[in-house]
Amino acid sequence: MLSSRLFPRLALLSVCLIAIVPFASRFHYVPLPQWWGEINVVWLTVLAAVLLLPGQPALFGRVPRAAWWALLAALCWGLQPWLAPVLFPGMNWATALAWACMALLACVVLALREHFGQRELTVWLAWALLAGALLQSLIGMAQLTGLAEATGGMLFYDHAHPTSNIFGHIGQRNQFAHYLMWGVLAGCYLYAAGKLPARWLWGLVAWLALLLAWAGSRTILLYLLALSVLALIWHWRIGDTASRRLRNVLWISCIVILAAQFLLPWVNQLVSLLSHESVGGASGLERLAANGDSMGSRRFAEMHKAWLVFRSHPLWGVGWSQFAAESVRLQPLPPFAAAGFNSGLFTNAHNLVLQLLAEMGGLVTLLVLGGFVWAVWPYFRERAELEHVLPLGGMTVTLIHSLLEYPLWYLYFLAVLVIFVALAPGPGARLPRLARLPLWLGVAALGWLSLTGLTRYDELLGLYTPLANAKANETRVARLAEIVETEPLFAFHALNTLDNYLQPTREQLPQKRRWLTRLAAFRPYPDVLLKKAQLEALAGDEGAAEATLGSALASFPTYAPSFLSELDPREPAWAGLRRITEAARQKLPPQYR
């Protein structure tokens, strides 16, 4: 039958598109900037599952270790609101649903591997990663040359740094470099497997090496070292011609990428001469040598804070996604006074293990990390194969990045990681036919929730910006308040949107204070803390107002001039806040005043 041949191919295509489409989304709209990319992962996963429904390969016939690991994680996140004082349990449940989707994706990957074989599935995935990397590199080149700005918004770019912040459509330079490294690894595997000619490979590697240099990610240097060691070990385990080819080509690729880091200043001059445009940008190596952005010290400070939070909440953690408030609470302490003038709200500790310890506690962290090791262990226990290098190398890049930043907090990065884990050798646990029906009901529920979420997402986007009509804004505030109280999955995002409508005035003062207090307890952004302090001062609670403002100035010191402009000198209640802010401004280095 045509369907028995066509549907598995379409399911395979859907899985491969997970490695391309979500990363290429140009839609990054607040209050849910990653929503489109992440929901594409869900839709493509559900589509692949539905395409496998007619027959062979049989989905859920066997369940891989990766799926059991993801289901365990879903259970941990789903149960935490009953074990710890979580402010927005819907954030836990949304994450639990994401993990459930990852379990489904792992089952789809195993079914496709049984149908197509390890080699064909890995080759398809490698082509997808390489195609995605090339697409991102073209977007990155458009950002570098200013073409992205000239397209009138068709391409995603940084308005403040239109030609020096190179991040593709992923939105962050280190994640962009992470993704391009997957592409390099995929190209090397395809060459070793005899699927990509050498002349094409070296052209692609040289091109991606330049874009990796322009991205300016310092983490690349760790990737190169780790991938070189992996290639050596896997050739030692396999010991055939193909593994030697892969080792050699991966080593040479790493040398090319490293050379591009050194050669970038001369390349910038050449491109500027040819394009008659000023092309700049420092490589990761240059940024590492300069070490002038204070981010290193701030990262270590946040890691230290995460460890302190874990020690205070060792069993169940402080609550999922609640590290941000702890970071602000701990910032005034002496150990963090010299952590650098980076005035962004750090919602993440920039270390996967410490973040899990702080927010989920020791037990869940042990289960999640132990489950991951159990899921990938067959790579090291079973006979080594050439096809293992792509998933293991991809996981190596992701795990290194996760120890310094937070790629796995985005579902599309997690999805590709789960695909890598699901490719581990082993047949998976056999599942009785009767046990498969609840899983198919789960697939239907996941698809239904993702489609209904589209309606709410569109509504929140439409409500984000206040109107000039005061009466219409009152209606919008009432609707947002209703979502906060009745729809847990979107409660925080609705409250975050509601903040746009809350002005520091005496009208509805008690209600505004309740909303700002709730938001500040979860996401104490600078403007949230300032408005909270202003409202507290208007209510006559001067002690609370000064404490709130002091916390804001400790965590976001460079905001002092902005705060001062927001504190109207004609309002007597804010006189004390102005004195505190002016004193903080005077203590800043001259460039921040």
Side-chain angles (χ1 to χ4, degrees), residues 542-571:
E542 295 181 6
E546 292 180 2
T548 299
L549 186 62
S551 178
L553 290 169
S555 288
F556 315 108
T558 62
Y559 274 77
S562 174
F563 285 176
L564 203 59
S565 67
E566 294 292 329
L567 293 167
D568 192 338
R570 294 171 297 180
E571 175 54 66

Side-chain angles (χ1 to χ4, degrees), residues 348-566:
N348 198 287
H350 290 74
N351 181 282
L352 175 66
V353 177
L354 289 171
Q355 185 82 16
L356 290 175
L357 286 172
E359 294 190 341
M360 301 301 295
L363 181 59
V364 170
T365 302
L366 182 63
L367 289 173
V368 171
L369 297 183
F372 173 77
V373 171
W374 173 73
V376 302
W377 187 246
Y379 278 119
F380 304 93
R381 185 189 62 195
E382 304 293 337
R383 183 172 65 89
E385 297 180 7
L386 187 73
E387 282 65 44
H388 296 170
V389 177
L390 175 62
L392 282 172
M395 282 189 281
T396 298
V397 170
T398 300
L399 294 178
I400 289 173
H401 193 189
S402 296
L403 295 179
L404 297 168
E405 284 197 338
Y406 42 94
L408 295 181
W409 262 241
Y410 302 100
L411 189 57
Y412 30 87
F413 278 103
L414 180 60
V416 178
L417 177 76
V418 167
I419 292 173
F420 291 151
V421 178
L423 287 171
R430 185 177 296 278
L431 203 63
R433 287 184 177 273
L434 196 60
R436 301 176 197 176
L437 179 59
L439 297 180
W440 277 111
L441 293 176
V443 173
L446 194 62
W448 179 80
L449 283 171
S450 66
L451 291 174
T452 56
L454 177 60
T455 302
R456 192 63 66 242
Y457 168 79
D458 285 338
E459 182 181 14
L460 287 177
L461 288 186
L463 294 172
Y464 191 78
T465 304
L467 301 174
N469 188 314
K471 191 67 176 178
N473 285 338
E474 289 179 11
T475 303
R476 288 175 162 226
V477 167
R479 175 58 185 144
L480 288 167
E482 180 184 9
I483 296 173
V484 171
E485 300 300 336
T486 61
E487 300 189 31
L489 293 179
F490 292 93
F492 162 68
H493 307 293
L495 181 59
N496 195 32
T497 302
L498 184 59
D499 173 50
N500 296 336
Y501 294 82
L502 304 180
Q503 300 304 317
T505 62
R506 288 183 170 82
E507 289 79 14
Q508 297 181 315
L509 187 55
Q511 189 178 35
K512 289 179 182 178
R513 286 189 65 186
R514 284 195 299 272
W515 281 328
L516 263 301
T517 299
R518 187 173 178 182
L519 183 57
F522 192 73
R523 286 289 186 274
Y525 293 108
D527 63 309
V528 170
L529 291 177
L530 176 62
K531 280 195 280 189
K532 181 174 181 285
Q534 289 174 292
L535 293 173
E536 288 166 342
L538 290 174
D541 196 348
E542 295 181 6
E546 292 180 2
T548 299
L549 186 62
S551 178
L553 290 169
S555 288
F556 315 108
T558 62
Y559 274 77
S562 174
F563 285 176
L564 203 59
S565 67
E566 294 292 329

Side-chain angles (χ1 to χ4, degrees), residues 11-227:
L12 177 57
L13 177 62
S14 295
V15 169
C16 290
L17 288 176
I18 290 173
I20 303 174
V21 174
F23 296 91
S25 173
R26 63 170 295 277
F27 303 114
H28 296 262
Y29 299 139
V30 287
L32 292 156
Q34 313 306 327
W35 193 86
W36 268 110
E38 295 183 334
I39 205 65
N40 280 326
V41 172
V42 178
W43 288 340
L44 288 167
T45 300
V46 172
L47 175 61
V50 171
L51 288 167
L52 294 179
L53 180 60
Q56 293 297 325
L59 184 62
F60 303 134
R62 291 183 178 273
V63 179
R65 290 188 176 198
W68 295 116
W69 168 59
L71 287 173
L72 173 64
L75 182 65
C76 290
W77 263 263
L79 289 178
Q80 194 199 34
W82 282 275
L83 302 169
V86 173
L87 296 176
F88 287 92
M91 300 287 280
N92 282 75
W93 298 333
T95 306
L97 287 171
W99 276 113
C101 179
M102 295 300 94
L104 173 61
L105 177 59
C107 290
V108 169
V109 170
L110 178 59
L112 293 173
R113 193 186 75 191
E114 289 182 339
H115 185 78
F116 292 104
Q118 182 89 7
R119 167 61 67 94
E120 186 172 357
L121 178 55
T122 307
V123 166
W124 272 68
L125 178 62
W127 280 118
L129 289 170
L130 184 57
L134 288 174
L135 175 61
Q136 293 292 337
S137 70
L138 292 174
I139 299 169
M141 179 57 72
Q143 292 164 344
L144 177 76
T145 58
L147 180 62
E149 186 178 15
T151 59
M154 290 180 62
L155 295 178
F156 186 35
Y157 72 97
D158 179 1
H159 293 267
H161 309 90
T163 61
S164 59
N165 192 5
I166 313 304
F167 50 56
H169 267 183
I170 301 176
Q172 205 266 355
R173 66 167 74 237
N174 294 311
Q175 293 176 16
F176 175 66
H178 177 162
Y179 189 74
L180 294 191
M181 281 302 304
W182 281 349
V184 171
L185 184 62
C188 291
Y189 164 74
L190 289 170
Y191 168 77
K195 303 296 182 180
L196 184 67
R199 63 182 181 276
W200 287 103
L201 171 70
W202 295 122
L204 293 170
V205 168
W207 171 256
L208 293 176
L210 280 177
L211 269 297
L212 283 165
W214 274 314
S217 173
R218 292 165 289 193
T219 319
I220 290 173
L221 304 175
L222 294 176
Y223 302 158
L224 301 182
L225 176 62
L227 291 177

Side-chain angles (χ1 to χ4, degrees), residues 256-314:
V256 171
I257 293 170
L258 183 61
Q261 300 283 313
F262 286 99
L263 296 174
L264 189 63
W266 289 277
V267 175
N268 285 338
Q269 293 180 23
L270 177 61
V271 175
S272 298
L273 181 65
L274 295 175
S275 65
H276 304 289
E277 296 285 345
S278 178
V279 173
S283 69
L285 193 65
E286 289 177 279
R287 293 180 64 220
L288 186 66
N291 194 29
D293 64 355
S294 77
M295 274 297 294
S297 63
R298 188 61 194 260
R299 278 192 179 95
F300 285 118
E302 298 306 311
M303 294 177 191
H304 185 189
K305 290 177 188 176
W307 178 250
L308 295 179
V309 173
F310 164 64
R311 290 181 60 184
S312 300
H313 305 81

